[in-house]
Every structure is written in C-alpha cells, then in structure tokens.
Amino acid sequence: MSGFELEGHRPTWAEVNLDALAANYRAVRERVGAGVKVMGVVKADAYGHGAVECARRLAAEGAEWFGVASPEEAFTLRRAGVNQNILSFGGFWDGQAGECLRQRVVPVVYRLDMAEALDAAAGEAGVVADIHVKIDTGMGRLGVRYDEAAEFASKLREFKNIRVDGLMTHFAAADEPRRDCFTEEQLRHFREAVAAFRERGHAPTYEHAANSAATFAHPETRGNMVRPGGVLYGLWRDVLPPLADAPEFRPVMSVRTRVTLLKRVHAGETLGYGCTFEAAREMTVATVTIGYADGYARALSNRGRVIVRGRLVPVVGRVSMDLTLLDVTDVPGVETGDVVTVLGEDGGLSVPAEDIARTAGTLSYEITCGVSARVPRSYLAAGS
Ligand SMILES: *Cc1c(COP(=O)(O)O)cnc(C)c1O
C-alpha cells in the first residue's frame, strides 16, 4: 500500500504505478524489436491514468512518439514540457492548423480541406508541415477510403508546404481470431494505398497500423511503428485474443477508498436505493465513499467485489452517486478507516479492470477512462 495520504481530503484515490507502465512499455518494445518504434498512446488522459505523467515516464523509457485524440490533448502535453513527437489521431478542427504547426503537433489528415488549411498555415510560416494520412481500410470511421487513396495522394501533391511523414490505418477486429480474414484484408488494402502514395511521389517515413491487439496477434501488421494503448496500462485480458505467448502485462491503476462507517444490519432489512438487497442474516455493512460519479459503475450494484483486509467482499445494494455498501460480515477485525481496494491489486489479491468490465458489460478501457476527475491520482515509482 502506498503512503499516499489525503489528509484534509476525502479518502478516495487512484494509484498509478509508473514502474508498471514502464515495464509494459519495455515488454512491447522487446516483442517488436529494434526496427519498430513504439508510439505511446496517451489519448483520453492516458486512458484515465494521467497523460502528462505517463508521457513523461514513457519518454524517459525512450518513447519518441505519443498518440492523442485531439490537438487540445497535444497542447496539454506541450504545456507540461513534453517535447517528443505528438500525433493527433483526430486531426484538427477549424482554426487549429496554425497552433498545431506552432506546437509541432502532427495531425492525422483525412480530408483535402485539412491539407489545404495546413498548407496555407505552413506557407505563411515559411515551413513545411508534416502530416500522417489515415486510410480507412474497413473501420469505416476516420480516414480516406482505400479505394480513393490514389486520387487523394495525387491531389495532395498540389500542396507544396506539407509532407506526408506517415501513412496509417486502424484495425476493426484485430482481437477477434474469427475475423482474421477481415484484418488481413485491411492490411492488403493498406499496403495498396501505401504503394499508391509512393507511386505518386510521396515518401512517408512511417507506416503504422497496429493497436495493442494487432501488435501481438498480427505481427505482419507492425510496419515500422506500432500504436499500443491498452497493454501499456496493463489492460489486455479483454483486449488481446487468447495468445500462447502474451507477455504478463502489469496492471497500472489501483483505485482505493476507506471504510467511512460500519453498522449492524438485521436479517430481513434492506439496503440502498430500490431496496434491492435484503439481508439474509445479521450482517456488518461498510459504507465507502465512492460511487458512480467517481467511475464506480452502477452496473456493479449487488455484483461488484472489492478487497478489504486481504479478503474479497461483495458490494451489496445499489451503487449510488457518491456511496457504496459492502458486506464485511466475514472480515475479522474490520474497522472504520480500513483501506478498500475497488480496482487493482492489494497484497496477493486483485480486482482487474477486465473483471469489472465483464461484470458491467463493457471493456476495461471504459473502466479506467471512467475514473472521474473527482478521484485524485497518486503516481508511484521506485525512488519517488
Ligand atoms: C486508441 C488507438 C490506438 C490504441 O489502441 P489500443 O487498443 O488501446 O492499443 C491506436 N491507434 C488509434 C488510431 C487509436 O485511436
């Protein structure tokens, strides 16, 4: 347990283990080898872990590229002094071209008017702007359709102040073995698009396609850069397909709180909103100060499990906005102030984000992204 003290604050916090993040990053690097760069995907505040702190640590581990969702996320990193390359996956929006240039944020481009705006801004500044062009090979979201890539490549040639530094695509189902044919088809379309760009005089430095799942399940997709997010944060059981040789990624986030109130509850009494839980016996119930406004999903009502004093105990009744109830009847010596781990590890036990996600009917990413701003992050690293 950390010595993170919240003296004068509500005792609910998230611990982010930066050594685990670094170990996961190294595990990816080791797997892909020296010829392939590993972009650290830190969008959405590093999946809830804190983009600035995670990017700083990954930079110290040698990361040369970071992936974010928007220019705003990139500017946040720049303000914090992160000076590695940053790719904005979402591109940029009206009025952001100049600021992207000034702050050396490389946008993903997927519309001609974006190239035009950036070209104009770069011309004014007297520089050449790097872009990465996204090819839609089957995801159907952002990206130039693969069957329109050649035409797009030709038209881009008209803009003298931009350079295609990278070509990329994104896989829809790299984690699903029964969709391997689809993934292979996406890769084929991507390679054709890359060839079309090269034939039209573009010379991209980077070709990248692989998210976490593709990096591990489809090595042929790696190109010369991979873009893992989830596995860096130790989220993998519901992200990678079952693989014989998946590294043991370490969970990075733990969310903890403390017992605020203990009470006796008699058989036949009900607990919480909607009276959804009825005590079948004399019970000891703990109230903890965490709820769905902190990201502890309401779907965990009567279903979640948390760690108290080295035991897994059940959530009873509905999770409410700010408070949750636990059955601690079988926890010897339980006291007000005891630490409660709702996500992550404590001693030998763990409540993985993947398990919470399965219970809540979602993906582990949504669990860590959902840990709200109301929960302060505490960063752990050896020697700090
Ligand atoms: C989020 C994202 C990734 C990382 O995906 P993971 O599944 O977290 O590895 C890679 N590329 C793009 C374009 C993304 O949006």
Side-chain angles (χ1 to χ4, degrees):
M1 202 71 54
S2 81
F4 186 58
E5 286 306 326
L6 286 156
E7 193 60 40
H9 291 273
R10 180 179 71 133
T12 299
W13 70 100
E15 289 169 11
V16 176
N17 186 333
L18 295 174
D19 291 337
L21 174 74
N24 294 336
Y25 183 77
R26 287 194 292 266
V28 177
R29 243 193 2 213
E30 221 163 87
R31 182 62 62 93
V32 301
V36 179
K37 289 193 195 299
V38 180
M39 174 184 288
V41 176
V42 295
K43 65 189 182 192
D45 206 21
Y47 298 40
H49 293 69
V52 166
E53 290 78 2
C54 290
R56 282 184 183 145
R57 181 57 187 267
L58 292 171
E61 296 296 321
E64 297 170 43
W65 279 91
F66 293 113
V68 297
S70 64
E72 285 86 345
E73 291 186 352
F75 301 155
T76 299
L77 293 180
R78 287 286 182 250
R79 272 196 300 279
V82 173
N83 58 28
Q84 280 72 18
N85 302 303
I86 303 179
L87 184 65
S88 169
F89 291 158
F92 60 91
W93 285 271
D94 284 351
Q96 290 184 316
E99 200 55 24
C100 284
L101 265 185
R102 277 189 288 281
Q103 303 213 31
R104 280 194 312 108
V105 174
V106 178
V108 170
V109 164
Y110 43 83
R111 283 194 331 244
L112 226 43
D113 64 310
M114 298 171 81
E116 198 178 333
L118 204 65
D119 183 68
E124 252 168 59
V127 297
V128 173
D130 279 350
I131 62 171
H132 286 209
V133 176
K134 188 170 195 178
I135 311 297
D136 174 13
T137 56
M139 183 71 152
R141 308 186 311 188
L142 292 183
V144 179
R145 279 186 58 95
Y146 67 91
D147 51 2
E148 295 168 5
E151 191 190 339
F152 196 84
S154 297
K155 289 191 172 149
L156 276 184
R157 295 285 295 164
E158 293 164 21
F159 302 113
K160 300 303 173 199
N161 307 308
I162 57 178
R163 187 183 82 90
V164 177
D165 180 56
L167 291 171
M168 64 187 287
T169 192
H170 194 49
F171 293 114
D175 58 329
E176 291 186 37
R178 66 194 172 81
R179 299 277 185 195
D180 279 355
C181 281
F182 191 82
T183 301
E184 282 156 28
E185 189 168 278
Q186 282 197 271
L187 181 60
R188 206 157 47 242
H189 290 324
F190 181 54
R191 286 183 173 152
E192 285 162 13
V194 171
F197 269 74
R198 291 196 185 280
E199 280 160 21
R200 284 158 186 77
H202 297 286
T205 310
Y206 299 102
E207 294 172 24
H208 51 102
N211 56 3
S212 294
T215 298
F216 286 89
H218 300 276
E220 72 281 7
T221 65
R222 287 174 189 158
N224 57 6
M225 184 152 67
V226 294
R227 306 189 307 263
V231 295
L232 299 182
Y233 308 104
L235 308 172
W236 61 280
R237 291 177 189 83
D238 58 358
V239 171
L240 303 187
L243 294 170
D245 59 348
E248 273 290 306
F249 296 104
R250 293 170 56 186
V252 175
M253 186 190 285
S254 295
V255 176
R256 308 193 206 276
T257 183
R258 289 181 190 273
V259 173
T260 293
L261 183 65
L262 286 169
K263 66 182 53 166
R264 298 302 291 174
V265 169
H266 305 300
E269 292 180 342
T270 63
L271 296 169
Y273 282 121
C275 309
T276 61
F277 181 89
E278 185 179 323
R281 57 171 177 167
E282 181 87 0
M283 292 173 67
T284 306
V285 172
T287 304
V288 290
T289 173
I290 188 168
Y292 60 76
D294 300 296
Y296 195 69
R298 191 164 174 276
L300 299 167
S301 299
N302 288 308
R303 303 177 71 196
R305 283 153 90 65
V306 306
I307 306 166
V308 184
R309 285 192 181 240
R311 289 179 192 241
L312 281 167
V313 306
V315 168
V316 287
R318 289 232 176 104
V319 171
S320 53
M321 189 180 290
D322 313 309
L323 298 168
T324 295
L325 301 174
L326 310 172
D327 176 3
V328 292
T329 311
D330 299 327
V331 181
V334 64
E335 283 178 14
T336 301
D338 279 354
V339 169
V340 175
T341 298
V342 306
L343 163 69
E345 296 185 319
D346 182 16
L349 294 175
S350 100
V351 182
E354 293 94 325
D355 289 4
I356 294 178
R358 189 167 1 92
T359 304
T362 183
L363 181 71
S364 56
Y365 295 1
E366 194 176 345
I367 300 301
T368 61
C369 283
V371 176
S372 73
R374 193 164 84 173
V375 180
R377 270 62 167 175
S378 153
Y379 294 91
L380 312 182
S384 74

